[in-house]
Every structure is written in C-alpha cells, then in structure tokens.
Amino acid sequence: MDDIIEAIGIDSLETLTAAFGYVQMYIPKDPRAATKIITLIGPEKYHRLASVAGGCTVSLPRGHRELLKLRNKEIFSGHKSGLDMTDLSFKYRLTERRIRTILKNQTINEVFNERFNKDRAENS
C-alpha cells in the first residue's frame, strides 16, 4: 500500500476508494482497460499506479478510518524526510496543531512497535 500511496498520493487513493467502494481492485496494465481509473485520477497518476501495481489486484482501504491511518503515516514519513509543519499543514489542509498531534501519536506508535518487535525477537 505504501508503494501505491507514494505513486499516486493519499488524495487519489481516497478518490478510488470512494468511487469503487470495495476492498479489492484490479489495476490493468493496459490504459484502454482503465478508463474509469484514468478519469478519476488522471493519466499521469494512472501510469505511476500501473508501474507499481499493473496486472495485480490490490486491497484498497475499506473506510475513512483506514485512510486516516494511511494519511497519518504519510505525514510522519514526510516529516522524517524534512518537511516542516507549515509544509505539511498546507499539503494536507490541516492546522499545525493537528499535524503536531499526528506526529506525536505516530512517534508513540513507532516506539511501541519497535519495543514489541524487539521483545518478540528476544523471546523467539
């Protein structure tokens, strides 16, 4: 899923999820078979999507909550790669306060997951 988000962005993923309304979606390699997808996200993003997932069936997030989780992970990755609060705020149309809250929660989740995986590895 991260490859798809990187290729087309969270907004286009939300558009596809809203339009198709189901979890499994086939991504055709041939653009002639993907006219509805191209209409929704545009030819450039479709070609990026097809290069990542063309010929495959992908699982789209089921609902709003899953999309928010993906968006928050993308915000966290953007921050780690050097985007500042203002850039993230404009990009995601959120307040800087909300961006800070998301980053704090994502940091807590990452620390928890690191500790959980470390403990799991030690107990194996």
Side-chain angles (χ1 to χ4, degrees):
M1 188 56 59
D2 291 337
D3 293 341
I4 292 173
I5 293 172
E6 189 174 317
I8 66 173
I10 195 77
D11 291 339
S12 293
L13 181 62
E14 287 175 343
T15 301
L16 290 175
T17 301
F20 290 100
Y22 52 80
V23 180
Q24 298 288 318
M25 178 179 174
Y26 179 73
I27 308 298
K29 290 181 182 179
D30 185 355
R32 293 174 295 186
T35 54
K36 186 166 184 178
I37 297 171
I38 292 171
T39 302
L40 291 169
I41 66 173
E44 182 182 328
K45 287 186 179 182
Y46 168 74
H47 289 295
R48 284 189 264 155
L49 176 62
S51 71
V52 171
C56 298
T57 300
V58 297
S59 295
L60 295 176
R62 191 178 292 253
H64 186 69
R65 183 173 287 165
E66 288 82 5
L67 289 171
L68 288 178
K69 286 179 188 177
L70 293 171
R71 181 207 62 191
N72 293 349
K73 286 176 73 174
E74 189 177 73
I75 289 170
F76 189 70
S77 295
H79 183 68
K80 283 174 69 173
S81 69
L83 292 175
D84 65 15
M85 297 288 179
T86 305
D87 294 335
L88 292 168
S89 180
F90 281 116
K91 182 175 180 179
Y92 294 98
R93 291 176 250 127
L94 297 169
T95 64
E96 288 186 26
R97 181 177 180 183
R98 183 68 187 130
I99 296 290
R100 275 192 291 280
T101 301
I102 290 167
L103 293 174
K104 178 180 144 192
N105 291 338
Q106 287 297 116
T107 302
I108 290 168
N109 289 341
E110 193 169 271
V111 168
F112 173 80
N113 287 335
E114 284 176 15
R115 287 183 183 164
F116 176 77
N117 290 333
K118 181 181 176 185
D119 290 344
R120 199 166 152 204
E122 288 175 357
N123 292 328
S124 295

